[in-house]
Amino acid sequence: MTFSIIEFFLGRPLPNREARSQTLGVFAGVPAMGLDALGSASYGPEAALTILAAASTAGLGQIGTITLVITVLLAILFLSYWQTIAAYPNNGGSYIVARENLGANFGLLAAAALMVDYLLNVAVGISAGVGALTSAVPILHPYTLWMCLAILALITTVNLRGTRESGLVWALPTYGFVIGLGAILALGLYKAVAAGGRPEAVIAPPQLQPATETLTLWLILRAFASGCTAMTGVEAVSNGVSAFREPRVRHAHATLAAIVAILALLLFGIAHVARAYGIMAMDQTRGDYQSVSSQLVYAVYGSGWLYYAVIACVLAVLCLSANTSFVDFPRLCHLVAQDAYLPRPFAVPGRRLVYSVGILFLAFGSGSLLIVFDGITDRLIPLFAVGAFLAFTLSQSGMAMHWWRAEGRQSAEGLLTWLRRPATMKLAINGIGAVATASALAIILLAKFIEGAWITVLVIPATILLLRSFRRYYDEIDRQTLKASDRPINLSGRQPPVILVPIKRWDRLARKAVEYAMRITPDVRALHYMALEGPDAEDPQLALRHNWRELVEIPAARAGYAPPRLSCITAEFRSLTGPLLRCIEDTRRQHPHRPIEVVVPELVEGRWWGYIMHTHRERRLRARLLRYGGRSLAVTSIPWQLREAEPAEVILAEESSNASSGGNSSGLCRHSAENY
Amino acid sequence: MTFSIIEFFLGRPLPNREARSQTLGVFAGVPAMGLDALGSASYGPEAALTILAAASTAGLGQIGTITLVITVLLAILFLSYWQTIAAYPNNGGSYIVARENLGANFGLLAAAALMVDYLLNVAVGISAGVGALTSAVPILHPYTLWMCLAILALITTVNLRGTRESGLVWALPTYGFVIGLGAILALGLYKAVAAGGRPEAVIAPPQLQPATETLTLWLILRAFASGCTAMTGVEAVSNGVSAFREPRVRHAHATLAAIVAILALLLFGIAHVARAYGIMAMDQTRGDYQSVSSQLVYAVYGSGWLYYAVIACVLAVLCLSANTSFVDFPRLCHLVAQDAYLPRPFAVPGRRLVYSVGILFLAFGSGSLLIVFDGITDRLIPLFAVGAFLAFTLSQSGMAMHWWRAEGRQSAEGLLTWLRRPATMKLAINGIGAVATASALAIILLAKFIEGAWITVLVIPATILLLRSFRRYYDEIDRQTLKASDRPINLSGRQPPVILVPIKRWDRLARKAVEYAMRITPDVRALHYMALEGPDAEDPQLALRHNWRELVEIPAARAGYAPPRLSCITAEFRSLTGPLLRCIEDTRRQHPHRPIEVVVPELVEGRWWGYIMHTHRERRLRARLLRYGGRSLAVTSIPWQLREAEPAEVILAEESSNASSGGNSSGLCRHSAENY
């Protein structure tokens, strides 16, 4: 029953061989990888204009320049990541590039920066979208947090099902946003050109406020720092190359080009139309606040169904830009976990071949952020771009180092030859990228440090420490379990183990366990614990002793075996563990060179509600024996299934129903390649 | 760390031998067993007066008569339960008495009635107390539900620690309530006598409302039905005889006498003082509502610190009357579970020798009632007394049957001799009790049916069906596991099992498991599953095959053993279970008469945070193998503890720190009485 609920939400389990069919082309790749980058177009220019508003008309005049610089930076990033994708066709995220070229520590720095950024991106994206929705429809305002969490749950479920579905789900709003906003901007540019640069607005934007600051370089730099948020998310494609259909690199290149081109066009269009129509960002605390995109559509087109369609797409894209994190975060965690810097479960694909643990961790982490900040984003945004630009910088530096090393080997050549070689060009591109993103990072840190970037500056090193402690843990395990593992196995002293069988009463479970134990060893000792159910409970001790004599000892003696002994022991604390451990110590002293095996008869209930019907003593006992019983102890469960007619067929049927094609899941043990 | 948190809240685990020291005397018994009964004094008379208010002064005149009838009924119940306690010194609750004398079905009827009543009693008591508090301090009103739940959590914790502590915790408010209200009533009676029956009120109660109904017998009967709620809780002592110190019966008798005497005096006093001062119940929806007890204190004593002290005690007693249910409900469930009509966990005492599962069930059940009804009690109260009076009736009928049977054996005697024998007197008392409580039950059902008693009438049979289905489940288990268990054990065919060892990579865990398997049987087969971690993960197959040849096969062949085989198998669904079950089926076909054992090497992490570091494949594998592997399969865990220096001493130390006295917990296996 529960099983089919999971199946309903997540779909059937996928076999490994279906992994390839799960991948993306360009059309589905743009929404899956580019939502974050494209969504930035709706808040990047607005963030820059918010700063420039202090200088009024003089400020608005600079938006073109700033957008130009941002577009140039974007072009540099585009070239850099183009090279990265070609050089690392197997997931060339910042983590891999930094780790390979700058060393493990820089890799961890990039990983920590990206993790923090992805977590923030989900919370910021969803709450910004919901915030925009609630300012458009104020009646929804009291439900802000609930709507955030509902959207988060929806995105999580879709991603747990796998990337292909999510690509298609997101395609509609993404392409709607691009086409709708693009059409508005094209119309605006046409009108502006037709009117000789001074077009008439259909619905006029509000009057510009008078300047409160003079236009200084510092103001422009701060506006640039804020505007840089328009570039977040560009790295997504290079992180997810392995999610593309073959030929991977070509599809990834095409997707990256499409995303960057669309983004650049949108940024350029917004800047020019805004300047032409005199549109400026407004103070978000004002009652009549309107976003820049809303003002744009009003000015160019006026109100009407297209207005609502474009605004709806803006909202959807903002909310869904969180999805980019859901594609990349689990994949990043998978890579980091494969290097043992994160717990093992992050590395293992779930039933749908996605890294479910990473997805759930991201959902819970960003859900907690949403709850803690009550769905209000203003305090989160200053923390936000630091991680992305830190990762950009590390990735570019890593690529530069990559080309430098490729060069280094042939350094005997002359300078001119060196300059003419193609790798030099690549080194130059990535070097310029590194310097540019590092400068942007420095400006962002300076401009936003007090507003909250300092939190990121604290959290990233803390994350690195945590990652390194995970690695230490696994190194310690390897040290212990691999130590001297190259010695041949020890075949001396092949005496069978001494077996202890705790039994409750004489029934078929007990008989089965004793029979099993007597197959393995002549040294079987049964233990009956009294007073397990408290001081008042009746104990079947007498009947048990009688049965033991009649049904075990006498038949065993007749058949010529040493009769197994039965001891009755009081369990003062109503727990088997303590007294049983004492008996194990005792037995170990008597037989120091033989292993000890505890054989536990166990009733197995298959129906879920059967769980409440039992005390689960055996399960707790097993766990504690494995924990405290020492290394020469083995614990064996002898099951007694309550419902006999439930054999392996259940699982076989379950799997073969999935294996529609290919006979390799029918037939027992057929996989076994060779019996080596 | 977690361990000590539990210890902080619940105290150290108690050994069985401390069970006796955990029991009650009279002084602690009155609050522990009597809070419910005594608390009734504050709402029973008020409930009767609420009905009588319709007839104004004429109604008020009848309160004396009604209280007299209730007191007579109380006296009958007192005598009946006195006899029950003597006849059933080992928990003579309605369940036991009805089961023993009227048969299992009537026992279940009584049990179901009591369970429903206890659950309601907790919710009603707490919410009534909090309701009274919030009408005294209106500022607390928005937090009603939270206060209810906080009080519930407190009561639950105290009861999970054990009865003795709770007796002392509750003693202060109980005795404060009795002494405070008693003093007020004594003062009131004295003033009334001194003033010749017409005393002057210090603060006059509100004017009586004009009559809206004439005083009919039906009105008086309805008032009586409502007033009967004053008697709920009287059965508590007979349910909990085993909680008393030895001599149990004497302590129980004294406690019952004290409770009934105090209750009767309070009821008598309230009725007389109310009539003398002209105090009538007020409509609870009126803004100037005052409870009867509040009016009483105002009239006799006026405002002042004593007023607040008495009202505070009333509040505390109302809230804490829930505690009676916490004492009795788990004990009742324990008895029912011992008869296999409830899941086994209800029968087992927890670390503090209380029935923790019953306590937690009661807490969650009544917590849900509180949440569903938002802490508002009005709709719950009509459901309330039905269960109690049904249980009263069944208990009395059962006792009457008990004496009747005791008589029956000597029925050859003459009628006169029969009448003169002491058991006849007892039969008469319980018979009168049965008739009286049955009549009260009929009146209550009639008067309250539409208001909500019908819900109880539906829930009780549903509960009985549930209890019987639990019993059927356990009967089925016994049928399966005891079938043919009186046959001697089978010692033929003592071939050792075939052993399968799933291994991940070649390390000390794998080596230990293979060495262990080779001790037991010559037929060992190792299985390596590929692609467990998804299609992209690297697999150590080649290294493993090399190691297997060098470290296992060659040494085994040299030592003259059949070398164990290694098979590599693809796990398409990234799960061991399916392929392993297929291999088990395969092996079973090859060796149909030999058991199969799966030996699983398992890394054991003792630190709680270590849990997240592992994928717990082995644990899931074991559970599914036990479930689906069939009855000839055994599953053995070979532990590898990550922290070596953590042997049995942990548990031994833990227990011996508790065993302050008596040497019977030190020394290994010393308990083993005889090695039979």
Side-chain angles (χ1 to χ4, degrees):
Chain A
M1 194 54 82
T2 32
F3 180 77
S4 53
I5 289 174
I6 291 179
E7 187 146 318
F8 176 78
F9 279 110
L10 301 188
R12 65 186 174 84
L14 294 181
N16 283 334
R17 65 176 174 278
E18 289 192 30
R20 285 285 79 78
S21 72
Q22 192 63 350
T23 50
L24 299 169
V26 177
F27 182 81
V30 169
M33 301 280 174
L35 249 164
D36 185 17
L38 296 177
S40 316
S42 72
Y43 58 79
E46 173 146 1
L49 286 171
T50 305
I51 306 288
L52 291 175
S56 195
T57 323
L60 186 55
Q62 297 301 318
I63 186 66
T65 324
I66 289 174
T67 305
L68 194 66
V69 176
I70 288 175
T71 315
V72 168
L73 203 50
L74 193 59
I76 295 174
L77 272 181
F78 168 67
L79 291 175
S80 306
Y81 277 116
W82 184 279
Q83 295 184 174
T84 309
I85 289 170
Y88 289 90
N90 218 334
N91 279 322
S94 310
Y95 170 64
I96 300 283
V97 173
R99 187 194 66 185
E100 303 276 296
N101 298 297
L102 304 173
N105 286 330
F106 282 100
L108 290 182
L109 180 59
L114 280 175
M115 284 175 192
V116 170
D117 214 54
Y118 288 146
L119 210 61
L120 285 167
N121 183 45
V122 173
V124 167
I126 292 178
S127 65
V130 170
L133 174 64
T134 55
S135 45
V137 190
I139 204 170
L140 293 176
H141 202 269
Y143 311 107
T144 302
L145 183 58
W146 291 113
M147 286 194 298
C148 289
L149 295 179
I151 290 171
L152 181 62
L154 181 73
I155 296 178
T156 306
T157 309
V158 171
N159 276 284
L160 284 174
R161 290 185 69 99
T163 324
R164 190 173 45 177
E165 279 92 338
S166 64
L168 291 177
V169 166
W170 310 147
L172 188 69
T174 310
Y175 289 116
F177 169 78
V178 169
I179 292 168
L181 192 57
I184 295 289
L185 293 175
L187 182 64
L189 287 175
Y190 168 78
K191 283 189 180 176
V193 170
R198 287 271 139 239
E200 193 70 33
V202 179
I203 299 177
Q207 250 350 88
L208 289 187
Q209 300 291 309
T212 55
E213 283 183 51
T214 52
L215 188 69
T216 57
L217 185 63
W218 174 235
L219 187 78
I220 295 176
L221 282 178
R222 276 167 56 219
F224 167 74
S226 289
C228 278
T229 52
M231 274 182 286
T232 54
V234 172
E235 81 288 357
V237 177
S238 70
N239 291 342
V241 182
S242 72
F244 283 96
R245 199 185 300 152
E246 290 292 350
R248 285 183 191 177
V249 171
R250 242 188 56 204
H251 283 115
H253 272 166
T255 306
L256 178 66
I259 292 171
V260 169
I262 295 170
L263 178 57
L265 283 175
L266 291 179
L267 292 179
F268 173 81
I270 291 172
H272 277 265
V273 175
R275 203 169 50 176
Y277 283 89
I279 290 168
M280 186 45 102
M282 295 168 71
D283 183 357
Q284 214 168 349
T285 56
R286 276 175 55 178
D288 56 348
Y289 166 76
Q290 282 200 337
S291 68
V292 168
S293 26
S294 168
Q295 293 182 54
L296 269 176
V297 185
Y298 271 142
V300 173
Y301 171 81
S303 188
W305 69 267
L306 190 58
Y307 169 80
Y308 289 104
V310 172
I311 295 300
C313 286
V314 170
L315 297 183
V317 164
L318 269 177
C319 285
L320 299 183
S321 72
N323 194 55
T324 314
S325 292
F326 272 96
V327 174
D328 285 335
F329 182 88
R331 219 169 257 143
L332 172 65
C333 288
H334 162 71
L335 293 171
V336 176
Q338 277 191 329
D339 293 341
Y341 284 107
L342 269 180
R344 203 85 202 112
F346 281 100
V348 181
R351 60 189 282 135
R352 297 288 287 181
L353 287 167
V354 294
Y355 303 105
S356 319
V357 174
I359 292 176
L360 291 172
F361 182 86
L362 182 64
F364 281 108
S366 53
S368 311
L369 279 179
L370 284 172
I371 290 171
V372 167
F373 290 90
D374 221 11
I376 293 164
T377 46
D378 284 358
R379 268 170 290 175
L380 285 171
I381 287 183
L383 291 65
F384 183 38
V386 176
F389 274 81
L390 183 51
F392 284 164
T393 309
L394 287 167
S395 167
Q396 305 308 320
S397 314
M399 286 307 295
M401 183 62 87
H402 178 84
W403 307 122
W404 178 259
R405 284 201 187 135
E407 294 303 290
R409 289 182 206 121
Q410 295 115 323
S411 56
E413 309 165 81
L415 183 66
L416 265 175
T417 336
W418 184 81
L419 279 176
R420 252 187 250 123
R421 298 192 52 239
T424 313
M425 188 62 195
K426 291 178 177 169
L427 169 61
I429 289 173
N430 283 124
I432 293 170
V435 172
T437 48
S439 318
L441 174 62
I443 294 171
I444 292 169
L445 268 177
L446 259 172
K448 294 186 170 181
F449 192 79
I450 297 192
E451 294 169 66
W454 60 272
I455 300 178
T456 316
V457 172
L458 289 181
V459 168
I460 288 176
T463 308
I464 293 175
L465 289 180
L466 191 66
L467 297 179
R468 293 174 64 94
S469 73
F470 287 133
R471 175 63 181 254
R472 267 200 308 279
Y473 177 88
Y474 288 112
D475 284 348
E476 168 64 21
I477 289 186
D478 278 354
R479 198 191 59 72
Q480 280 192 32
T481 59
L482 292 177
K483 191 170 68 183
S485 69
D486 53 350
R487 284 202 314 237
I489 56 167
N490 176 13
L491 293 168
S492 66
R494 277 168 53 92
Q495 268 187 297
V498 179
I499 293 189
L500 305 177
V501 187
I503 59 184
K504 236 189 286 189
R505 59 174 186 178
W506 187 250
D507 55 14
R508 289 169 86 181
L509 279 76
R511 194 174 67 196
K512 198 179 152 196
V514 171
E515 283 175 2
Y516 190 86
M518 290 184 71
R519 268 181 195 263
I520 290 176
T521 181
D523 302 292
V524 176
R525 185 169 171 194
L527 301 165
H528 173 64
Y529 291 95
M530 294 175 293
L532 262 184
E533 313 218 324
D536 304 331
E538 287 171 45
D539 202 273
Q541 189 193 348
L542 283 181
L544 178 60
R545 283 183 183 251
H546 172 80
N547 278 325
W548 189 261
R549 176 190 287 281
E550 298 295 321
L551 307 175
V552 182
E553 284 189 324
I554 293 178
R558 259 189 219 136
Y561 295 109
R565 291 181 305 158
L566 168 70
S567 307
C568 293
I569 294 172
T570 307
E572 262 300 284
F573 287 87
R574 303 169 297 289
S575 158
L576 280 175
T577 322
L580 194 49
L581 282 173
R582 260 181 236 122
C583 284
I584 289 168
E585 288 288 307
D586 206 23
T587 312
R588 192 168 282 151
R589 212 164 297 149
Q590 287 169 26
H591 307 279
H593 300 299
R594 291 172 66 182
I596 299 169
E597 183 171 339
V598 178
V599 170
V600 186
E602 190 169 335
L603 207 64
V604 177
E605 170 58 82
R607 294 157 288 190
W608 61 267
W609 50 263
Y611 188 86
I612 59 159
M613 301 299 282
H614 302 281
T615 50
H616 306 285
R617 261 183 211 294
E618 290 82 7
R619 205 171 292 184
R620 286 200 304 274
L621 177 66
R622 186 173 52 208
R624 304 205 81 187
L625 286 181
L626 292 177
R627 173 83 186 90
Y628 296 109
R631 289 195 183 162
S632 68
L633 184 76
V635 183
T636 299
S637 301
I638 303 284
W640 180 273
Q641 291 94 1
L642 277 179
R643 309 181 68 198
E644 301 199 42
E646 196 92 49
E649 275 72 25
V650 172
I651 290 200
L652 301 185
E654 175 184 306
E655 289 193 0
S656 64
S657 81
N658 289 302
S660 43
S661 67
N664 52 355
S665 70
S666 66
L668 302 169
C669 271
R670 189 161 332 150
H671 291 285
S672 47
E674 315 114 80
N675 284 322
Y676 197 73
Chain B
M1 193 56 81
T2 32
F3 181 77
S4 53
I5 289 174
I6 291 179
E7 187 145 319
F8 175 78
F9 280 109
L10 301 188
R12 64 185 175 85
L14 294 180
N16 283 334
R17 64 174 176 281
E18 288 192 32
R20 285 284 80 79
S21 73
Q22 192 64 349
T23 49
L24 300 168
V26 176
F27 182 81
V30 169
M33 301 280 174
L35 248 164
D36 184 18
L38 295 177
S40 317
S42 71
Y43 58 78
E46 173 148 359
L49 285 171
T50 305
I51 307 288
L52 291 176
S56 195
T57 324
L60 185 55
Q62 296 302 317
I63 185 66
T65 324
I66 288 173
T67 306
L68 195 66
V69 176
I70 289 175
T71 317
V72 168
L73 203 50
L74 193 60
I76 295 173
L77 273 181
F78 167 67
L79 291 174
S80 307
Y81 276 115
W82 183 280
Q83 295 182 174
T84 309
I85 289 169
Y88 290 89
N90 218 334
N91 279 321
S94 309
Y95 170 63
I96 299 283
V97 172
R99 186 193 67 185
E100 303 277 296
N101 298 296
L102 304 174
N105 286 331
F106 282 100
L108 290 181
L109 180 59
L114 281 175
M115 285 175 191
V116 170
D117 215 53
Y118 288 146
L119 210 63
L120 285 167
N121 183 45
V122 173
V124 167
I126 292 178
S127 65
V130 170
L133 174 64
T134 55
S135 47
V137 190
I139 203 170
L140 293 175
H141 202 270
Y143 311 107
T144 301
L145 182 58
W146 291 114
M147 287 194 297
C148 288
L149 295 179
I151 290 172
L152 181 62
L154 181 72
I155 296 178
T156 306
T157 310
V158 170
N159 276 284
L160 284 174
R161 290 185 68 99
T163 325
R164 189 172 46 177
E165 279 91 337
S166 65
L168 292 176
V169 166
W170 309 146
L172 188 69
T174 310
Y175 288 117
F177 169 77
V178 168
I179 293 169
L181 192 58
I184 293 290
L185 292 175
L187 182 64
L189 286 174
Y190 167 79
K191 283 189 179 177
V193 171
R198 288 268 138 244
E200 192 70 34
V202 178
I203 298 176
Q207 252 347 93
L208 289 188
Q209 300 290 310
T212 56
E213 283 183 52
T214 52
L215 187 69
T216 57
L217 184 62
W218 174 235
L219 187 77
I220 294 177
L221 281 179
R222 277 167 56 220
F224 167 75
S226 289
C228 278
T229 53
M231 275 183 285
T232 54
V234 171
E235 81 288 358
V237 176
S238 71
N239 291 340
V241 181
S242 72
F244 283 96
R245 199 185 299 152
E246 292 289 353
R248 287 181 189 178
V249 171
R250 243 187 57 203
H251 282 113
H253 272 165
T255 306
L256 178 67
I259 292 171
V260 169
I262 295 170
L263 178 58
L265 283 175
L266 291 179
L267 292 178
F268 174 82
I270 290 172
H272 275 265
V273 175
R275 204 170 49 176
Y277 282 89
I279 291 167
M280 187 44 104
M282 294 168 70
D283 183 357
Q284 214 168 348
T285 57
R286 277 174 55 178
D288 57 347
Y289 167 75
Q290 281 200 338
S291 69
V292 168
S293 28
S294 168
Q295 292 184 53
L296 268 176
V297 186
Y298 270 143
V300 172
Y301 173 80
S303 189
W305 68 268
L306 190 57
Y307 169 80
Y308 290 103
V310 171
I311 296 301
C313 285
V314 170
L315 298 183
V317 164
L318 269 177
C319 285
L320 299 183
S321 72
N323 194 57
T324 314
S325 292
F326 272 96
V327 173
D328 285 335
F329 182 87
R331 220 170 255 144
L332 172 65
C333 289
H334 162 69
L335 293 171
V336 177
Q338 278 191 328
D339 293 340
Y341 284 108
L342 269 180
R344 203 84 202 113
F346 281 99
V348 181
R351 60 190 280 134
R352 296 289 287 181
L353 285 167
V354 294
Y355 303 107
S356 319
V357 173
I359 292 176
L360 292 172
F361 182 86
L362 182 63
F364 282 107
S366 53
S368 312
L369 278 179
L370 285 171
I371 291 171
V372 167
F373 290 91
D374 222 12
I376 293 165
T377 45
D378 285 358
R379 267 170 291 177
L380 285 171
I381 286 184
L383 290 66
F384 183 37
V386 177
F389 273 81
L390 183 52
F392 283 165
T393 308
L394 287 167
S395 167
Q396 304 308 320
S397 314
M399 286 307 295
M401 183 62 86
H402 178 82
W403 306 123
W404 178 259
R405 283 196 188 139
E407 293 304 291
R409 288 180 207 123
Q410 294 114 325
S411 58
E413 305 165 85
L415 182 67
L416 264 176
T417 337
W418 184 80
L419 279 174
R420 251 185 251 123
R421 296 192 53 240
T424 312
M425 188 61 195
K426 292 176 175 169
L427 169 60
I429 290 174
N430 283 123
I432 293 170
V435 172
T437 48
S439 317
L441 175 62
I443 295 172
I444 292 169
L445 268 177
L446 259 172
K448 294 185 169 182
F449 191 80
I450 297 191
E451 292 168 66
W454 62 271
I455 300 179
T456 316
V457 172
L458 289 181
V459 167
I460 288 175
T463 309
I464 293 175
L465 289 180
L466 191 66
L467 297 179
R468 293 174 65 97
S469 73
F470 287 134
R471 174 64 181 254
R472 266 200 307 280
Y473 177 87
Y474 288 113
D475 284 348
E476 167 64 21
I477 290 186
D478 278 354
R479 198 189 60 72
Q480 280 192 32
T481 59
L482 293 178
K483 190 169 69 184
S485 69
D486 54 350
R487 284 201 315 238
I489 56 168
N490 175 13
L491 293 168
S492 65
R494 278 168 51 93
Q495 269 187 298
V498 179
I499 293 189
L500 306 176
V501 188
I503 59 184
K504 236 188 286 190
R505 58 174 186 177
W506 188 250
D507 55 13
R508 287 169 88 181
L509 278 75
R511 195 174 66 196
K512 199 180 152 196
V514 171
E515 283 174 4
Y516 189 87
M518 290 184 70
R519 268 182 195 261
I520 289 177
T521 181
D523 302 293
V524 176
R525 184 170 173 194
L527 302 164
H528 173 64
Y529 292 95
M530 295 175 294
L532 263 186
E533 312 216 325
D536 305 331
E538 287 171 45
D539 201 273
Q541 190 194 348
L542 283 181
L544 179 61
R545 282 181 184 255
H546 173 79
N547 278 325
W548 188 261
R549 176 188 288 280
E550 298 296 319
L551 307 175
V552 181
E553 283 188 326
I554 293 178
R558 256 188 223 138
Y561 294 109
R565 294 180 303 158
L566 168 70
S567 308
C568 292
I569 295 172
T570 307
E572 263 300 285
F573 288 87
R574 303 167 299 287
S575 159
L576 280 176
T577 321
L580 193 49
L581 281 174
R582 258 182 238 122
C583 285
I584 290 168
E585 287 289 307
D586 207 23
T587 313
R588 191 168 282 151
R589 211 163 297 149
Q590 287 169 27
H591 307 278
H593 300 299
R594 290 172 68 181
I596 300 168
E597 184 172 337
V598 178
V599 170
V600 186
E602 189 168 335
L603 207 64
V604 177
E605 169 60 81
R607 295 157 288 189
W608 62 266
W609 50 263
Y611 187 86
I612 58 159
M613 302 298 283
H614 303 281
T615 50
H616 305 285
R617 260 184 212 293
E618 291 82 8
R619 205 172 292 183
R620 285 201 304 275
L621 177 66
R622 186 173 52 208
R624 303 205 81 188
L625 287 181
L626 292 178
R627 173 82 186 91
Y628 295 110
R631 288 195 183 163
S632 67
L633 183 77
V635 183
T636 299
S637 302
I638 304 283
W640 180 275
Q641 291 94 2
L642 278 178
R643 310 181 69 196
E644 302 199 41
E646 196 92 48
E649 275 74 25
V650 172
I651 290 200
L652 301 186
E654 176 184 305
E655 288 194 0
S656 64
S657 81
N658 289 301
S660 43
S661 67
N664 51 356
S665 71
S666 65
L668 302 168
C669 269
R670 181 142 2 133
H671 293 285
S672 48
E674 315 114 81
N675 284 322
Y676 199 74

